[in-house]
Structure formats: C-alpha cells, structure tokens
Amino acid sequence: MATAATASATAATRFTLLAGAGLRSRISRRPTAVRFQRQRGLTTTALLKTADLLPKAQGQPETLDYRVFLVDGGGRKVSPWHDVPLRAGDGVFHFVVEIPKESSAKMEVATDEAFTPIKQDTKKGNLRYYPYNINWNYGLLPQTWEDPTSANSDVEGAFGDNDPVDVVEIGERRANIGDVLKVKPLAALAMIDEGELDWKIVAISLDDPKASLVNDVDDVEKHFPGTLTAIRDWFRDYKIPDGKPANRFGLGNKPASKEYALKVIEETNESWEKLVKRNIPAGELSLA
C-alpha cells in the first residue's frame, strides 16, 4: 500500500510529465475558431463559423491608419484571405467585400500585414481613389492566389499578380467593407494589367432576388443586360484619367463561361495551398 509521501511523489512525477506533452496537447485541442494547428503554414478552417464573422474597424476611414479586421464570435482576429474557407457548398463560394458598390476608395486586403486586414491602398504615401465610383461590390475569393511565378498559356503567357482572385458581385444590395457573402460564379474576365494577369470573377450573391435566374454567362446578359460589357470597360479604362494606358483582356476580349471561372478558382486555390505550405516562397506576403 503506497504511503502518503509515495503517492505525493507519484502525483508530482505525473504532473511533471503532463506539463510538457499532455498540457501542450490540451492547449492545441482548445477551440480557437480558426487559430488552428498549421502544418508549416497550411491551415484548416473546420472550426470557423462564417456566420459569426464581423468586420471590426480600427482608426478613422480615409486615413493611413484605417484598417478593417475580421473577428470571429469570440472577438479574435482572423485573416479574410487565409482563414475564411473558399467553399461554401456545391458550386457556392465565400466572397469577402473590400469595396462596396457606388464608392471610390481603393480598399484592398493588406497581404503583407498580420491577419491581412482591409486597408486603403496608397501611392507615394497618398491614399488612392478610383477616378469614379465602382458600380458593383468588389472584393476577393479567400484561399486563392495568382502565382507571379506561373505563366498562363491561355492568356498570352501572363504571370499572376501576386494577389487573391478578385470578384465583381453584380447583385442589387450594397454590401459593407468586410462582409462575407456566399456567391455563385457566373463568368470570368482575364484582365491584363501592366503585363500581369488579374482575374475578375463575375458572381452574384445567393441572397439577391435574381440569383436563381442566373447560372452562367449567357444568363447574365439576359437578366443583367450590358453588365458584362460595363464591367470590362470599367476595368479597362479606370487608369486612363491618371495618364496610364488602358488595361487589356485576354480570351478574345470576352467573358469566359462559368465552367472556365470554376477552373480559374480551382487552379488559384491550388496555388494558394502551395503558398501556405511553403512550397512557393512567400516573399513579403503574410501567411498569418
């Protein structure tokens, strides 16, 4: 029969052993919404509830310090680029709003800052604005990346622009900076910006009244006549007032089908996975 001293020593030894591996194991299992285990950068989003995500602003709008973070239900910061899951169901994807429709401040995910918040872009220390309002909600597909080391044989051998894939959401509702919406892709435009490939996925939010009517590129022209041409022309011309040349478009200067858009999404998601696994050098990009 163990003495009190022996039992105490045994308990102390057991605690010492658990203080390392066991305690760390308990910590790693603690639910943290999305600050999960990483395999040298690879993330899993099994614990993230996108319905609980909220934008949280820091600083004053239209200042250099202004940032919009995403926070989970526990108030913890998450990355709109890395932590929000790409897929939201069969043929449905998450879309993070950077620029609400009918606004002109050039907001974008800060890909080189921790938690990749949304901020206003700058040039030579000055805040950037589009020369006129953008007419659609604009933002990114999380967990995608346009690889600047990979040439696209379909689009003049252009290399990726080192950013997440852009989305132009054509629904009627004006979203807010940092909103996470469920969208279905309808078409893709292969914009070439100063030699770099900058995909524009045309999509519609599932909560839009016309969402059930549009399922491919031809439906957009039927139910939103002139919209695809307007999107192409807007992105083609927006730099001209600053004295820069017009952007160009590959794929015959025409929007590609939904099937092609899904191909773009799949390929850029694979590129993102390689990035966060460190199979491709991240450079100044933040993977946190």
Side-chain angles (χ1 to χ4, degrees):
M1 183 173 179
T3 65
T6 301
S8 177
T10 301
T13 300
R14 185 179 299 114
F15 177 79
T16 300
L17 292 173
L18 290 174
L23 185 57
R24 284 193 298 270
S25 176
R26 289 198 298 274
I27 291 173
S28 69
R29 291 196 302 267
R30 185 173 56 201
T32 56
V34 294
R35 281 301 129 188
F36 29 57
Q37 292 280 93
R38 294 175 181 261
Q39 298 176 357
R40 300 188 63 80
L42 179 62
T43 62
T44 174
T45 52
L47 298 175
L48 176 61
K49 295 181 179 179
T50 54
D52 293 337
L53 294 178
L54 292 172
K56 182 177 181 180
Q58 293 185 6
Q60 294 299 315
E62 299 186 72
T63 67
L64 295 174
D65 296 329
Y66 184 60
R67 298 289 185 276
V68 177
F69 289 88
L70 276 188
V71 297
D72 66 9
R76 292 164 290 225
K77 293 177 181 177
V78 302
S79 167
W81 181 18
H82 300 307
D83 293 335
V84 177
L86 171 62
R87 293 170 180 82
D90 186 20
V92 179
F93 300 86
H94 287 116
F95 157 58
V96 181
V97 178
E98 295 169 303
I99 305 174
K101 66 187 300 183
E102 306 306 334
S103 63
S104 63
K106 193 175 186 302
M107 308 297 294
E108 61 180 26
V109 161
T111 58
D112 59 349
E113 297 182 12
F115 296 103
T116 62
I118 299 169
K119 69 172 186 178
Q120 190 166 351
D121 191 25
T122 60
K123 183 176 181 180
K124 296 181 179 180
N126 297 315
L127 296 171
R128 293 186 66 186
Y129 295 84
Y130 290 120
Y132 28 73
N133 284 351
I134 190 167
N135 306 124
W136 312 274
N137 295 311
Y138 186 56
L140 71 131
L141 284 176
Q143 298 185 346
T144 61
W145 181 56
E146 299 184 49
D147 184 355
T149 69
S150 178
N152 191 302
S153 58
D154 288 351
V155 190
E156 303 178 18
F159 291 84
D161 72 348
N162 203 33
D163 283 326
V165 171
D166 296 326
V167 173
V168 183
E169 194 276 314
I170 61 175
E172 67 178 22
R173 181 172 75 88
R174 184 181 191 270
N176 300 306
I177 298 173
D179 281 353
V180 180
L181 308 180
K182 293 180 180 179
V183 300
K184 56 180 179 180
L186 304 169
L189 286 162
M191 190 175 92
I192 302 172
D193 182 356
E194 298 182 14
E196 295 180 335
L197 179 55
D198 187 2
W199 288 106
K200 308 298 179 189
I201 302 296
V202 179
I204 189 166
S205 176
L206 291 190
D207 63 8
D208 190 82
K210 292 185 179 181
S212 63
L213 303 176
V214 286
N215 294 290
D216 210 326
V217 62
D218 293 336
D219 295 331
V220 179
E221 191 57 37
K222 179 179 179 181
H223 296 282
F224 294 84
T227 295
L228 292 171
T229 298
I231 292 171
R232 184 197 60 196
D233 292 354
W234 195 98
F235 283 99
R236 181 193 64 196
D237 298 340
Y238 80 88
K239 290 187 175 182
I240 293 177
D242 292 333
K244 293 185 176 182
N247 291 317
R248 298 184 298 110
F249 288 86
L251 303 179
N253 203 38
K254 297 178 180 179
S257 67
K258 175 179 182 174
E259 181 180 5
Y260 198 97
L262 293 174
K263 173 176 175 286
V264 170
I265 294 170
E266 183 67 28
E267 290 176 350
T268 54
N269 175 238
E270 291 174 357
S271 294
W272 172 83
E273 288 180 349
K274 292 176 182 178
L275 175 69
V276 296
K277 288 179 180 177
R278 308 311 206 269
N279 292 338
I280 299 174
E284 296 182 356
L285 297 176
S286 171
L287 302 184

